[in-house]
Amino acid sequence: MPYLRKIITDGDPTLRKVAKKVDPAELDDPLFQQLIDDMFLTMYDAPGIGLAAPQVDVSKRVFTIDLQDDDPAHGPAVVINPKFVDTRGEIEATEGCLSVRGFVGEITRYEFVAVNGLDRNGTKIRLEGDGLFARCLQHEIDHLNGVLYIDKAKNVRPAQIEEEVGTAEEAQAEARADANRESVESGASG
Ligand code: NI
């Protein structure tokens, strides 16, 4: 049975390490499959739309993602040893992180990305998209490289209004420019 893992926060050295590549042989290890199940459970419980293994104190190159209600086209996925294969454009948006609780900031990221990696069975997969999905992929891959969004963001501040508190959840980081703030308030995420 999956169990909740503790999400570590900024200041913990594991978040600052470059995570180790996963040996595909490791995918046969029940403990590794358990890690993936635990990460999904922990991500949904948070709640968040993305979670990287270093955030549960495991320095390995794997993350989970599920945009859930924000974008039904991008449901649950786990990506092992992810690698960018295409990046296009730039866009600024507000972002938060489960490991930097209660804060938000503005960060510029690629507008579109394509990422290759392995799924939990070792099959090659490619995830690509723009908007919130692209933003979340970049946020999680940063975690695997020991990078937190606060390293790159400007105007990092305590989340105050309701919209920002929602954004402060992991990469609930609406991929919308600041200028579009008003529409966020009437919009989805929590
Ligand atoms: Ni994060």
Side-chain angles (χ1 to χ4, degrees):
M1 290 290 287
Y3 69 94
L4 284 177
R5 304 252 182 153
K6 182 177 185 286
I7 296 177
I8 60 173
T9 54
D10 187 22
D12 190 304
T14 304
L15 288 175
R16 294 310 192 171
K17 287 182 190 157
V18 176
K20 284 204 174 69
K21 210 174 161 189
V22 176
D23 179 342
E26 226 180 312
L27 303 182
D28 294 331
D29 184 344
L31 289 177
F32 190 83
Q33 295 293 326
Q34 172 85 37
L35 168 67
I36 294 170
D37 292 336
D38 293 349
M39 284 175 62
F40 274 112
L41 185 71
T42 304
M43 177 177 78
Y44 292 134
D45 179 74
I49 58 173
L51 187 72
Q55 292 184 275
V56 293
D57 208 14
V58 176
S59 194
K60 292 182 179 174
R61 302 189 78 79
V62 49
F63 68 84
T64 54
I65 185 169
D66 185 355
L67 295 208
Q68 305 167 55
D69 298 337
D70 285 306
D71 186 351
H74 293 298
V78 55
V79 188
I80 295 154
N81 298 338
K83 199 175 161 189
F84 290 112
V85 289
D86 194 5
T87 58
R88 289 177 224 164
E90 277 193 348
I91 188 166
E92 185 185 274
T94 308
E95 206 160 298
C97 178
L98 293 175
S99 293
V100 193
R101 280 282 173 149
F103 286 80
V104 291
E106 273 71 54
I107 179 165
T108 300
R109 293 199 186 270
Y110 297 118
E111 195 168 6
F112 169 94
V113 298
V115 171
N116 280 0
L118 301 176
D119 70 8
R120 65 188 305 163
N121 303 312
T123 305
K124 282 183 185 165
I125 52 167
R126 177 189 176 97
L127 300 183
E128 61 174 48
D130 56 12
L132 181 58
F133 189 61
R135 179 157 292 268
C136 191
L137 290 173
Q138 292 169 82
H139 182 110
E140 302 315 327
I141 291 173
D142 270 355
H143 274 304
L144 304 184
N145 294 324
V147 173
L148 298 176
Y149 85 96
I150 49 173
D151 302 345
K152 304 170 168 181
K154 58 186 187 190
N155 192 24
V156 175
R157 60 197 182 275
Q160 286 177 337
I161 57 175
E162 199 181 331
E163 163 220 335
E164 288 185 340
V165 173
T167 299
E169 307 297 349
E170 177 86 348
Q172 292 253 18
E174 299 293 354
R176 297 177 175 97
D178 268 359
N180 295 332
R181 276 274 171 104
E182 292 83 289
S183 63
V184 176
E185 281 176 346
S186 56
S189 84

